Short mmCIF file of all heavy atoms in Angstrom, two decimals:
data_model
loop_
_atom_site.label_atom_id
_atom_site.label_comp_id
_atom_site.label_asym_id
_atom_site.label_seq_id
_atom_site.Cartn_x
_atom_site.Cartn_y
_atom_site.Cartn_z
N ARG P 1 -0.44 14.76 -3.83
CA ARG P 1 0.81 14.17 -3.42
C ARG P 1 1.69 15.22 -2.62
O ARG P 1 2.19 14.83 -1.56
CB ARG P 1 1.58 13.64 -4.56
CG ARG P 1 2.98 13.18 -4.24
CD ARG P 1 3.64 12.63 -5.46
NE ARG P 1 3.29 11.28 -5.71
CZ ARG P 1 3.71 10.57 -6.80
NH1 ARG P 1 4.44 11.16 -7.69
NH2 ARG P 1 3.35 9.34 -6.97
N ARG P 2 1.76 16.43 -3.11
CA ARG P 2 2.64 17.43 -2.46
C ARG P 2 2.06 17.79 -1.08
O ARG P 2 2.83 17.88 -0.13
CB ARG P 2 2.65 18.72 -3.36
CG ARG P 2 3.60 19.78 -2.77
CD ARG P 2 3.65 20.94 -3.79
NE ARG P 2 2.37 21.64 -3.74
CZ ARG P 2 2.03 22.51 -4.67
NH1 ARG P 2 2.73 22.71 -5.71
NH2 ARG P 2 0.82 23.08 -4.60
N GLU P 3 0.77 17.87 -0.96
CA GLU P 3 0.09 18.21 0.30
C GLU P 3 0.31 17.06 1.31
O GLU P 3 0.57 17.29 2.48
CB GLU P 3 -1.38 18.45 0.17
CG GLU P 3 -1.69 19.78 -0.50
CD GLU P 3 -1.20 20.96 0.31
OE1 GLU P 3 -1.95 21.38 1.24
OE2 GLU P 3 -0.11 21.46 0.15
N ILE P 4 0.21 15.79 0.84
CA ILE P 4 0.47 14.61 1.74
C ILE P 4 1.85 14.66 2.31
O ILE P 4 2.10 14.50 3.50
CB ILE P 4 0.18 13.34 0.98
CG1 ILE P 4 -1.34 13.22 0.71
CG2 ILE P 4 0.74 12.16 1.79
CD1 ILE P 4 -1.61 12.07 -0.22
N ARG P 5 2.83 14.95 1.44
CA ARG P 5 4.27 14.99 1.92
C ARG P 5 4.43 16.08 2.96
O ARG P 5 5.15 15.86 3.96
CB ARG P 5 5.12 15.17 0.65
CG ARG P 5 5.34 13.99 -0.20
CD ARG P 5 6.15 14.32 -1.47
NE ARG P 5 6.34 13.22 -2.31
CZ ARG P 5 6.83 13.28 -3.50
NH1 ARG P 5 7.22 14.47 -4.03
NH2 ARG P 5 7.06 12.16 -4.24
N ARG P 6 3.89 17.21 2.61
CA ARG P 6 4.05 18.40 3.54
C ARG P 6 3.41 18.12 4.91
O ARG P 6 4.07 18.35 5.99
CB ARG P 6 3.38 19.62 2.89
CG ARG P 6 3.52 20.90 3.80
CD ARG P 6 2.77 22.08 3.16
NE ARG P 6 1.36 21.92 3.01
CZ ARG P 6 0.49 22.18 4.02
NH1 ARG P 6 0.93 22.50 5.15
NH2 ARG P 6 -0.83 21.98 3.76
N LEU P 7 2.20 17.59 4.91
CA LEU P 7 1.52 17.31 6.18
C LEU P 7 2.10 16.11 6.96
O LEU P 7 2.19 16.22 8.15
CB LEU P 7 -0.02 17.03 5.82
CG LEU P 7 -0.77 18.25 5.31
CD1 LEU P 7 -2.11 17.72 4.71
CD2 LEU P 7 -1.04 19.24 6.34
N ALA P 8 2.54 15.15 6.26
CA ALA P 8 3.24 14.02 6.87
C ALA P 8 4.49 14.45 7.58
O ALA P 8 4.82 14.06 8.72
CB ALA P 8 3.46 12.88 5.92
N ARG P 9 5.33 15.29 6.94
CA ARG P 9 6.54 15.81 7.52
C ARG P 9 6.27 16.64 8.79
O ARG P 9 6.88 16.53 9.82
CB ARG P 9 7.38 16.67 6.53
CG ARG P 9 8.08 15.83 5.45
CD ARG P 9 9.10 16.61 4.79
NE ARG P 9 8.54 17.78 4.10
CZ ARG P 9 8.16 17.81 2.76
NH1 ARG P 9 8.36 16.67 2.04
NH2 ARG P 9 7.70 18.89 2.22
N ALA P 10 5.20 17.51 8.64
CA ALA P 10 4.85 18.31 9.81
C ALA P 10 4.33 17.49 10.94
O ALA P 10 4.58 17.95 12.13
CB ALA P 10 3.71 19.31 9.38
N ALA P 11 3.75 16.37 10.73
CA ALA P 11 3.24 15.52 11.78
C ALA P 11 4.35 14.52 12.35
O ALA P 11 4.07 13.79 13.27
CB ALA P 11 1.98 14.74 11.39
N GLY P 12 5.53 14.55 11.76
CA GLY P 12 6.54 13.65 12.12
C GLY P 12 6.43 12.22 11.68
O GLY P 12 7.13 11.38 12.29
N VAL P 13 5.69 11.95 10.62
CA VAL P 13 5.45 10.62 10.18
C VAL P 13 5.78 10.49 8.60
O VAL P 13 5.29 9.61 7.93
CB VAL P 13 4.03 10.07 10.42
CG1 VAL P 13 3.78 9.98 11.84
CG2 VAL P 13 2.95 11.11 9.75
N GLY P 14 6.67 11.38 8.16
CA GLY P 14 6.99 11.46 6.73
C GLY P 14 7.49 10.21 6.16
O GLY P 14 7.16 9.80 4.96
N ASN P 15 8.23 9.39 6.95
CA ASN P 15 8.77 8.14 6.43
C ASN P 15 7.76 6.92 6.53
O ASN P 15 8.08 5.79 6.16
CB ASN P 15 10.03 7.72 7.18
CG ASN P 15 9.81 7.56 8.66
OD1 ASN P 15 8.83 8.11 9.33
ND2 ASN P 15 10.67 6.76 9.34
N ARG P 16 6.49 7.23 7.03
CA ARG P 16 5.53 6.19 7.20
C ARG P 16 4.26 6.42 6.37
O ARG P 16 3.33 5.72 6.55
CB ARG P 16 5.13 6.02 8.68
CG ARG P 16 6.33 5.55 9.53
CD ARG P 16 6.05 5.82 11.06
NE ARG P 16 4.73 5.29 11.49
CZ ARG P 16 4.03 5.73 12.51
NH1 ARG P 16 4.52 6.78 13.24
NH2 ARG P 16 2.85 5.21 12.83
N VAL P 17 4.27 7.40 5.49
CA VAL P 17 3.14 7.78 4.72
C VAL P 17 3.47 7.60 3.19
O VAL P 17 4.51 8.09 2.77
CB VAL P 17 2.69 9.23 5.05
CG1 VAL P 17 1.52 9.61 4.06
CG2 VAL P 17 2.26 9.31 6.44
N HIS P 18 2.58 6.99 2.46
CA HIS P 18 2.81 6.63 1.05
C HIS P 18 1.54 7.20 0.24
O HIS P 18 0.53 7.42 0.74
CB HIS P 18 2.97 5.13 0.82
CG HIS P 18 3.95 4.49 1.76
ND1 HIS P 18 5.25 4.32 1.47
CD2 HIS P 18 3.74 4.11 3.08
CE1 HIS P 18 5.78 3.70 2.53
NE2 HIS P 18 4.93 3.55 3.50
N PHE P 19 1.89 7.32 -1.08
CA PHE P 19 0.86 7.77 -2.06
C PHE P 19 0.89 6.86 -3.22
O PHE P 19 1.95 6.50 -3.73
CB PHE P 19 1.15 9.18 -2.51
CG PHE P 19 0.20 9.69 -3.61
CD1 PHE P 19 -1.06 10.21 -3.32
CD2 PHE P 19 0.63 9.63 -4.93
CE1 PHE P 19 -1.90 10.63 -4.35
CE2 PHE P 19 -0.23 10.08 -5.94
CZ PHE P 19 -1.46 10.60 -5.62
N VAL P 20 -0.34 6.33 -3.66
CA VAL P 20 -0.47 5.51 -4.79
C VAL P 20 -1.46 6.21 -5.79
O VAL P 20 -2.56 6.55 -5.37
CB VAL P 20 -1.01 4.08 -4.45
CG1 VAL P 20 -1.23 3.24 -5.76
CG2 VAL P 20 -0.07 3.41 -3.52
N ARG P 21 -1.07 6.32 -6.98
CA ARG P 21 -1.91 7.02 -7.97
C ARG P 21 -2.92 6.06 -8.63
O ARG P 21 -2.64 5.11 -9.37
CB ARG P 21 -0.98 7.53 -9.18
CG ARG P 21 -1.73 8.36 -10.12
CD ARG P 21 -0.81 8.65 -11.37
NE ARG P 21 0.33 9.45 -11.04
CZ ARG P 21 0.42 10.74 -11.02
NH1 ARG P 21 -0.70 11.40 -11.30
NH2 ARG P 21 1.49 11.34 -10.70
N GLY P 22 -4.19 6.24 -8.31
CA GLY P 22 -5.34 5.58 -8.88
C GLY P 22 -5.20 4.13 -8.93
O GLY P 22 -4.60 3.41 -8.06
N GLY P 23 -5.71 3.50 -10.00
CA GLY P 23 -5.71 2.07 -10.20
C GLY P 23 -6.71 1.25 -9.40
O GLY P 23 -7.58 1.81 -8.83
N LYS P 24 -6.65 -0.10 -9.53
CA LYS P 24 -7.51 -0.94 -8.83
C LYS P 24 -7.22 -1.02 -7.31
O LYS P 24 -6.09 -0.92 -6.93
CB LYS P 24 -7.47 -2.33 -9.42
CG LYS P 24 -7.70 -2.44 -10.95
CD LYS P 24 -9.10 -2.09 -11.29
CE LYS P 24 -9.31 -2.26 -12.82
NZ LYS P 24 -10.61 -1.86 -13.25
N LEU P 25 -8.25 -1.32 -6.56
CA LEU P 25 -8.11 -1.34 -5.06
C LEU P 25 -7.67 -2.67 -4.57
O LEU P 25 -7.14 -2.87 -3.51
CB LEU P 25 -9.43 -0.97 -4.43
CG LEU P 25 -9.65 0.44 -3.96
CD1 LEU P 25 -11.01 0.58 -3.33
CD2 LEU P 25 -8.59 0.83 -2.90
N ALA P 26 -7.95 -3.75 -5.30
CA ALA P 26 -7.90 -5.10 -4.82
C ALA P 26 -6.56 -5.42 -4.14
O ALA P 26 -6.53 -6.00 -3.06
CB ALA P 26 -8.17 -6.13 -5.86
N GLN P 27 -5.45 -5.12 -4.76
CA GLN P 27 -4.11 -5.42 -4.28
C GLN P 27 -3.86 -4.76 -2.92
O GLN P 27 -3.31 -5.42 -2.02
CB GLN P 27 -3.07 -5.17 -5.24
CG GLN P 27 -3.01 -6.01 -6.47
CD GLN P 27 -1.85 -5.75 -7.37
OE1 GLN P 27 -1.40 -4.64 -7.65
NE2 GLN P 27 -1.24 -6.80 -7.85
N LEU P 28 -4.19 -3.47 -2.82
CA LEU P 28 -4.00 -2.76 -1.56
C LEU P 28 -4.97 -3.20 -0.47
O LEU P 28 -4.62 -3.26 0.71
CB LEU P 28 -4.12 -1.26 -1.81
CG LEU P 28 -3.05 -0.63 -2.68
CD1 LEU P 28 -3.40 0.81 -2.99
CD2 LEU P 28 -1.66 -0.71 -1.96
N LEU P 29 -6.19 -3.58 -0.78
CA LEU P 29 -7.16 -4.02 0.19
C LEU P 29 -6.80 -5.36 0.77
O LEU P 29 -7.18 -5.66 1.93
CB LEU P 29 -8.55 -4.04 -0.44
CG LEU P 29 -9.31 -2.76 -0.65
CD1 LEU P 29 -10.58 -2.95 -1.38
CD2 LEU P 29 -9.53 -2.02 0.70
N ALA P 30 -6.05 -6.12 -0.02
CA ALA P 30 -5.78 -7.51 0.40
C ALA P 30 -5.03 -7.56 1.73
O ALA P 30 -5.22 -8.48 2.55
CB ALA P 30 -4.91 -8.22 -0.66
N ASP P 31 -4.18 -6.48 2.05
CA ASP P 31 -3.35 -6.55 3.24
C ASP P 31 -3.63 -5.35 4.30
O ASP P 31 -2.92 -5.34 5.28
CB ASP P 31 -1.87 -6.53 2.84
CG ASP P 31 -1.48 -7.72 2.05
OD1 ASP P 31 -1.85 -8.83 2.42
OD2 ASP P 31 -0.91 -7.55 0.98
N THR P 32 -4.52 -4.49 3.94
CA THR P 32 -4.71 -3.28 4.83
C THR P 32 -5.40 -3.69 6.09
O THR P 32 -6.22 -4.60 6.18
CB THR P 32 -5.47 -2.23 4.11
OG1 THR P 32 -5.43 -1.03 4.90
CG2 THR P 32 -7.00 -2.65 3.78
N ARG P 33 -5.09 -2.91 7.22
CA ARG P 33 -5.68 -3.13 8.51
C ARG P 33 -7.08 -2.40 8.59
O ARG P 33 -8.02 -2.95 9.19
CB ARG P 33 -4.80 -2.62 9.58
CG ARG P 33 -3.55 -3.38 9.77
CD ARG P 33 -3.87 -4.86 10.27
NE ARG P 33 -2.68 -5.62 10.61
CZ ARG P 33 -2.01 -5.62 11.77
NH1 ARG P 33 -2.50 -4.86 12.80
NH2 ARG P 33 -0.94 -6.30 12.00
N THR P 34 -7.11 -1.24 8.00
CA THR P 34 -8.35 -0.41 8.02
C THR P 34 -8.48 0.34 6.75
O THR P 34 -7.53 0.43 5.90
CB THR P 34 -8.32 0.56 9.22
OG1 THR P 34 -7.37 1.63 8.99
CG2 THR P 34 -8.06 -0.14 10.52
N ALA P 35 -9.56 1.02 6.56
CA ALA P 35 -9.85 1.92 5.50
C ALA P 35 -10.53 3.24 6.06
O ALA P 35 -11.32 3.14 6.88
CB ALA P 35 -10.67 1.37 4.36
N VAL P 36 -10.08 4.40 5.49
CA VAL P 36 -10.62 5.69 5.92
C VAL P 36 -11.01 6.40 4.68
O VAL P 36 -10.28 6.43 3.69
CB VAL P 36 -9.59 6.49 6.73
CG1 VAL P 36 -10.20 7.81 7.19
CG2 VAL P 36 -9.14 5.69 7.95
N THR P 37 -12.12 7.14 4.71
CA THR P 37 -12.56 7.94 3.60
C THR P 37 -13.50 8.99 4.04
O THR P 37 -13.99 8.98 5.19
CB THR P 37 -13.19 7.04 2.46
OG1 THR P 37 -13.45 7.80 1.30
CG2 THR P 37 -14.53 6.52 3.03
N VAL P 38 -13.76 9.96 3.06
CA VAL P 38 -14.87 10.95 3.35
C VAL P 38 -16.14 10.22 3.15
O VAL P 38 -16.97 9.97 4.05
CB VAL P 38 -14.76 12.18 2.46
CG1 VAL P 38 -15.92 13.06 2.69
CG2 VAL P 38 -13.42 12.87 2.71
N ASN P 39 -16.53 9.87 1.93
CA ASN P 39 -17.78 9.13 1.51
C ASN P 39 -17.59 8.34 0.26
O ASN P 39 -18.58 8.19 -0.48
CB ASN P 39 -18.95 10.05 1.61
CG ASN P 39 -18.83 11.21 0.77
OD1 ASN P 39 -17.89 11.36 -0.07
ND2 ASN P 39 -19.75 12.20 0.94
N SER P 40 -16.36 7.99 -0.07
CA SER P 40 -16.16 7.30 -1.41
C SER P 40 -16.93 5.93 -1.49
O SER P 40 -17.04 5.22 -0.58
CB SER P 40 -14.63 7.04 -1.53
OG SER P 40 -14.38 6.21 -2.64
N THR P 41 -17.49 5.75 -2.64
CA THR P 41 -18.20 4.52 -2.92
C THR P 41 -17.19 3.29 -2.90
O THR P 41 -17.59 2.14 -2.67
CB THR P 41 -18.96 4.57 -4.20
OG1 THR P 41 -17.99 4.87 -5.25
CG2 THR P 41 -20.02 5.55 -4.21
N ALA P 42 -15.94 3.66 -3.14
CA ALA P 42 -14.88 2.55 -3.04
C ALA P 42 -14.80 1.91 -1.70
O ALA P 42 -14.38 0.75 -1.61
CB ALA P 42 -13.56 3.05 -3.48
N ALA P 43 -15.29 2.58 -0.67
CA ALA P 43 -15.24 2.05 0.72
C ALA P 43 -16.10 0.76 0.80
O ALA P 43 -15.75 -0.03 1.71
CB ALA P 43 -15.79 3.13 1.67
#
């Protein structure tokens, strides 16, 4: 979370970046435009 905040501020998008701690994917997937990952099976 700390790294996300730092990097988002540095890129000028601090007010457009959010963090969610774990949990189920379904609610967030319902409205997302895209998904990005390294190689997570959740993809």
